[in-house]
Amino acid sequence: MTNVADTTPRATNVHQPLFALVDVNNFYVSCERVFNPRLEQVPVVVLSNNDGCAVARSNEVKALGVKMGAPWFKLKDLEKKHGIVALSSNYTLYGDMSNRVVSVMRDLAPDIEVYSIDESFIRIERTAHLYGGTVPMGHIIRNRVRQWTGLPVCVGIGETKTLAKFANHIAKKNNEFNGVCDVAAMSLDERNQWMRRIDVGEVWGIGRRISERLIKLKIQSVHDLVSADIKRLRAHFGVVMERTVSELRGVSCLALEDVAPSKQQIMSSRSFGTMMHTIELIGEAVAWHVHAAAEKLRAQHSVAGAIYVFIQTNRFRDSDPQYNGGMVVPLADVSDDTRALTTAALHGLRRIFRDGYAYKKCGVMLIELQDKRIRQETLFDDPQARARSARVMLALDAVNRVWGRGTLRTAASGITQRWAMRSENRSPRYTTHWRELPVVR
């Protein structure tokens, strides 16, 4: 059995990878507080599409025991008792603020991977010395992001991306680090102590189910995981777990991705603002989801070989009849044309729709994706038709980039979007819409 104590942390130098993970604290809530300081120290939740579930919680709300994904209608008593402020999702604002954070970080360290809307990895082994070392660089990142965007971040630093994630968790949960933790600079004993204190479920990539399986194997802490027999772990969990343990031991297995890889599946779905009963209205929603998914498909220069369409009733309404239907519709030829994909999706909808149900959600998923530039031609290819399709989609995307998504779309998605998302408590789009810019009086 290999113990972490047998592995000495490597001295940092310009030849050894050194990663920093910059993570915005409570991102959605923090974005709202930047433009509405009255929300500071107030319990705040940001709700999912149609104001359904809590997708972001301030620390004050977490302290009340509210779990991620908790349905809002079940929190009404807490709302009244503790004055919880519930806001609708403002993805336009969040996306723009995320871009601003990344722009700030690129000025400090050009080797960056945008991992998610609120997290980015940075390679810093070649730049940290310019700022006086790793921890001083982390504080400079924190201070500049805070000053230029108003958002609070924590910085975790380690020899691997998994260790950087681990360090970020320590920085976020322990005030003595003042928001910056470098596990690469820790002594071996100090690192081991932190690994013993933190549950294995906090490790990047280990979810609830895997965590439960590890606990059954007497692996409860991060230290237990790092100390375990790696061959035994691979036999139980596969090569991904082996890679995770190697990363925790300081062996870098995950490189920085300068460009995000193309998605293997593209999904668009949303709950309705009100219950839907007719195939006509649901068809409009499905067509809109196809429009959104196809736009992303073309952006990554891919084509789809099939489309999955589904509809669902409201699982939280036990008194209603329940039905979940879905099917995969293969395409005669791979395509990125919104019209062809819409035709296939609506064909699938007609097959799965059942009368007599109140539907709450629908969506589509583009699958069997491949690179458009190396697509395999078929015996019945029509180069002229394909060229016409490409020109139409090029014009469609150009119009929508200038005037906004949905300005130009298929008639199947409806003239008026009666099924549009409910967002009764959305804050203004402060940074992207002229009429909603903040005003200082």
Side-chain angles (χ1 to χ4, degrees):
M1 179 177 293
T2 302
N3 191 287
V4 68
D6 300 329
T7 306
T8 304
R10 297 170 292 168
T12 58
N13 56 63
V14 297
H15 303 293
Q16 170 197 310
L18 195 61
F19 297 88
L21 176 68
V22 183
D23 180 15
V24 183
N25 303 339
N26 298 328
F27 179 61
Y28 290 176
V29 172
S30 294
C31 287
E32 300 288 352
R33 285 174 167 171
V34 168
F35 297 96
N36 187 356
R38 288 175 295 182
L39 296 176
E40 293 287 349
Q41 309 302 319
V42 172
V44 178
V45 296
V46 176
L47 303 176
S48 62
N49 296 331
N50 292 306
D51 297 344
C53 302
V55 294
R57 304 155 296 153
S58 69
N59 289 336
E60 296 80 6
V61 171
K62 294 176 183 178
L64 297 175
V66 176
K67 302 297 184 182
M68 178 68 79
W72 176 238
F73 75 88
K74 291 186 177 181
L75 303 177
K76 294 297 184 179
D77 291 339
L78 280 177
E79 175 195 16
K80 295 177 181 178
K81 183 176 181 180
H82 298 282
I84 298 175
V85 175
L87 299 172
S88 304
S89 298
N90 189 345
Y91 296 119
T92 302
L93 173 65
Y94 308 151
D96 185 67
M97 292 297 285
S98 175
N99 292 336
R100 291 172 185 236
V101 172
V102 172
S103 178
V104 172
M105 290 189 293
R106 286 193 193 280
D107 286 342
L108 296 170
D111 298 329
I112 185 170
E113 173 193 338
V114 181
Y115 177 68
S116 67
I117 194 170
D118 61 345
E119 295 178 292
S120 293
F121 287 101
I122 308 174
R123 286 283 294 268
I124 63 172
E125 69 271 12
R126 292 181 175 86
T127 54
H129 71 281
L130 300 174
Y131 305 98
T134 57
V135 173
M137 182 180 184
H139 286 296
I140 290 172
I141 292 172
R142 288 193 79 221
N143 295 335
R144 188 169 297 184
V145 171
R146 183 72 171 190
Q147 181 180 6
W148 290 14
T149 70
L151 295 171
V153 302
C154 285
V155 181
I157 301 166
E159 303 96 322
T160 69
K161 291 168 77 172
T162 304
L163 281 173
K165 271 276 207 177
F166 173 70
N168 189 278
H169 175 82
I170 296 174
K172 187 176 294 186
K173 300 295 183 181
N174 299 274
N175 293 333
E176 63 263 35
F177 288 93
N178 196 22
V180 179
C181 174
D182 180 3
V183 295
M186 288 181 177
S187 68
L188 188 59
D189 288 341
E190 186 179 5
R191 186 189 295 199
N192 286 346
Q193 288 175 12
W194 282 108
M195 287 186 169
R196 290 188 181 96
R197 290 171 58 179
I198 297 175
D199 292 340
V200 69
E202 299 294 343
V203 175
W204 185 30
I206 294 182
R208 179 179 58 83
R209 292 183 179 178
I210 293 179
S211 177
E212 291 172 352
R213 291 173 60 193
L214 286 169
I215 291 173
K216 291 180 179 178
L217 296 174
K218 308 300 182 183
I219 298 174
Q220 298 181 333
S221 68
V222 179
H223 186 269
D224 293 338
L225 180 64
V226 175
S227 304
D229 187 326
I230 201 165
K231 292 182 179 179
R232 180 187 179 208
L233 290 173
R234 179 169 182 168
H236 280 276
F237 301 97
V239 69
V240 175
M241 180 64 75
E242 179 183 20
R243 184 179 62 190
T244 297
V245 174
S246 295
E247 286 251 322
L248 287 171
R249 292 177 177 177
V251 180
S252 181
C253 304
L254 301 171
L256 201 70
E257 295 179 351
D258 297 323
V259 179
S262 296
K263 295 180 179 179
Q264 299 303 304
Q265 298 175 334
I266 297 177
M267 186 172 184
S268 178
S269 67
R270 182 173 293 168
S271 298
F272 303 124
T274 58
M275 306 302 288
M276 292 292 168
H277 300 82
T278 68
I279 192 171
E280 290 79 16
L281 289 179
I282 297 175
E284 290 182 7
V286 166
W288 172 259
H289 289 312
V290 173
H291 171 88
E295 193 175 77
K296 296 177 184 178
L297 182 72
R298 293 189 292 272
Q300 71 173 38
H301 306 291
S302 297
V303 288
I307 185 168
Y308 175 75
V309 58
F310 68 90
I311 51 177
Q312 298 175 354
T313 53
N314 189 345
R315 60 188 177 90
F316 293 110
R317 297 178 62 168
D318 297 332
S319 59
D320 289 356
Q322 298 294 313
Y323 170 69
N324 295 327
M327 72 173 296
V328 174
V329 182
L331 301 175
D333 189 15
V334 293
S335 179
D336 63 358
D337 192 308
T338 300
R339 298 166 298 178
L341 295 168
T342 300
T343 298
L346 293 179
H347 170 74
L349 176 63
R350 288 190 291 271
R351 297 284 300 274
I352 64 176
F353 181 81
R354 300 290 184 272
D355 281 320
Y357 293 96
Y359 292 99
K360 181 61 177 177
K361 185 176 184 179
C362 74
V364 300
M365 181 187 295
L366 303 180
I367 57 179
E368 297 181 17
L369 306 190
Q370 58 182 270
D371 192 325
K372 181 178 182 179
R373 293 161 290 192
I374 57 174
R375 65 181 291 275
Q376 183 175 355
E377 295 187 355
T378 66
L379 179 63
F380 301 103
D381 263 337
D382 185 342
Q384 292 183 342
R386 200 180 327 126
R388 285 195 300 270
S389 168
R391 290 194 297 269
V392 172
M393 294 300 106
L394 185 65
L396 177 72
D397 292 338
V399 169
N400 289 330
R401 274 195 301 271
V402 174
W403 299 104
R405 175 179 287 178
T407 301
L408 189 61
R409 59 184 189 273
T410 58
S413 62
I415 304 302
T416 59
Q417 297 175 16
R418 291 165 288 186
W419 45 268
M421 179 178 69
R422 184 175 68 239
S423 54
E424 298 170 353
N425 299 314
R426 179 182 62 78
S427 56
R429 293 161 290 186
Y430 297 104
T431 62
T432 56
H433 285 249
W434 286 107
R435 295 180 180 179
E436 299 180 21
L437 292 177
V439 176
V440 178
R441 301 185 188 278

